[in-house]
């Protein structure tokens, strides 16, 4: 199996994060494909259908992902509609909804769907954190400036470190372990060390 992998996303920041995660293990190619908006309360089903659509059009081994951002005090809102809500009301709107709320617990869950000629496989990862009262940090994207993990927002964590500890990293770790075995790839010493470091941070 090829060491090349295509990530299908319109989000260039997400593509960079995935490429940083894999380092030299795989050559990651980015393709922006307009995928119809899918509706479901289950991110794994959304990711599965996105992968099915993308593979039908591209016919190359690929991954897509979908992420839910769930806030306990808001009964799991915005959940799988995180991208739409971010575009509609942004982090400012989320902070207004959380004004005066004591329970700040929240989580990201990412579902990675891999598709090739043999079918579709799903891998998930979750990271727990809390909503802060004002944005912090200049890195990251999306909700990163208002989501804190162990005293730092995801926007305050350098990309290399974020690429090892995030919800997406956890899903990608599960995918990579499966994919490397499936493809019969051998890791270089540098890749093996990177994986060990990432697992330590996880």
């Amino acid at each position: 199996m090829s060491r090349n992998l295509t990530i299908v996303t319109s989000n260039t920041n997400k593509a960079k994060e995935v490429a940083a995660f894999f380092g030299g293990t795989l050559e990651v190619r980015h393709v922006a494909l307009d995928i119809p908006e899918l509706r479901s309360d289950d991110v794994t089903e959304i990711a599965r259908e996105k992968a099915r659509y993308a593979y039908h059009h591209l016919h190359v081994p690929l991954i897509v992902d979908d992420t839910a951002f769930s806030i306990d005090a808001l009964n799991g809102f915005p959940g799988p509609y995180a991208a739409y809500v971010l575009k509609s009301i942004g982090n400012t709107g989320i902070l207004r909804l959380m004004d005066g709320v004591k329970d700040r617990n929240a989580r990201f869950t990412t579902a990675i769907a891999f598709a090739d000629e043999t079918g579709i496989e799903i891998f998930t990862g979750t990271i727990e954190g809390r909503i802060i009262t004002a944005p912090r940090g200049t890195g990251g994207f999306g909700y990163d400036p208002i989501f804190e993990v162990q005293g730092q927002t995801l926007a305050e964590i350098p990309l290399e470190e974020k690429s090892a500890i995030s919800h997406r990293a956890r899903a990608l770790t599960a995918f990579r372990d499966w994919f490397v075995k499936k493809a019969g790839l051998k890791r270089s010493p540098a890749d093996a060390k990177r994986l060990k470091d990432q697992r330590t941070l996880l």
Side-chain angles (χ1 to χ4, degrees):
M1 181 176 289
S2 171
R3 291 178 62 94
N4 299 326
L5 181 67
T6 295
I7 175 171
V8 180
T9 178
S10 59
N11 189 325
T12 56
N13 289 310
K14 186 184 296 185
K16 290 176 182 177
E17 190 173 309
V18 172
F21 175 88
F22 282 111
T25 306
L26 294 171
E27 182 180 339
V28 179
R29 173 180 173 234
H30 174 213
V31 172
L33 178 68
D34 188 18
I35 299 178
E37 193 69 28
L38 304 167
R39 301 294 183 187
S40 174
D41 291 332
D42 185 347
V43 290
T44 62
E45 287 308 308
I46 295 173
R48 184 184 301 278
E49 292 307 311
K50 287 168 68 173
R52 194 187 315 278
Y53 181 92
Y55 187 78
H56 176 74
H57 285 77
L58 300 176
H59 303 288
V60 295
L62 57 84
I63 59 172
V64 302
D65 82 338
D66 201 78
T67 296
F69 181 48
S70 305
I71 302 171
D72 288 353
L74 301 181
N75 297 319
F77 178 84
Y81 306 104
Y84 173 77
V85 170
L86 183 67
K87 188 180 297 183
S88 301
I89 65 174
N91 287 330
T92 300
I94 292 294
L95 293 180
R96 286 175 180 165
L97 290 174
M98 293 294 289
D99 188 32
V101 175
K102 291 184 178 179
D103 181 2
R104 316 291 293 191
N105 293 329
R107 69 198 51 79
F108 280 108
T109 299
T110 287
I112 299 283
F114 169 80
D116 66 4
E117 70 279 2
T118 66
I120 298 172
E121 297 285 340
I122 306 293
F123 309 86
T124 61
T126 298
I127 186 171
E128 301 281 345
R130 61 187 299 275
I131 305 298
I132 57 176
T133 57
R136 294 202 318 261
T138 57
F141 58 93
Y143 297 101
D144 288 357
I146 64 170
F147 184 77
E148 183 183 76
V149 180
Q150 298 180 348
Q152 285 185 297
T153 69
L154 292 182
E156 293 176 305
I157 299 174
L159 177 59
E160 184 176 352
E161 183 178 342
K162 181 192 172 188
S163 295
I165 68 170
S166 72
H167 47 292
R168 186 167 294 106
R170 296 179 183 204
L172 285 169
T173 295
F175 162 69
R176 180 173 58 185
D177 287 349
W178 173 86
F179 185 78
V180 167
K181 184 177 180 180
K182 173 184 171 72
L185 302 177
K186 293 183 178 180
R187 297 189 183 95
S188 68
D191 291 336
K193 181 180 184 302
R194 184 183 299 109
L195 180 58
K196 180 180 178 181
D197 291 344
Q198 288 168 340
R199 282 176 169 162
T200 299
L201 288 167
L202 292 177

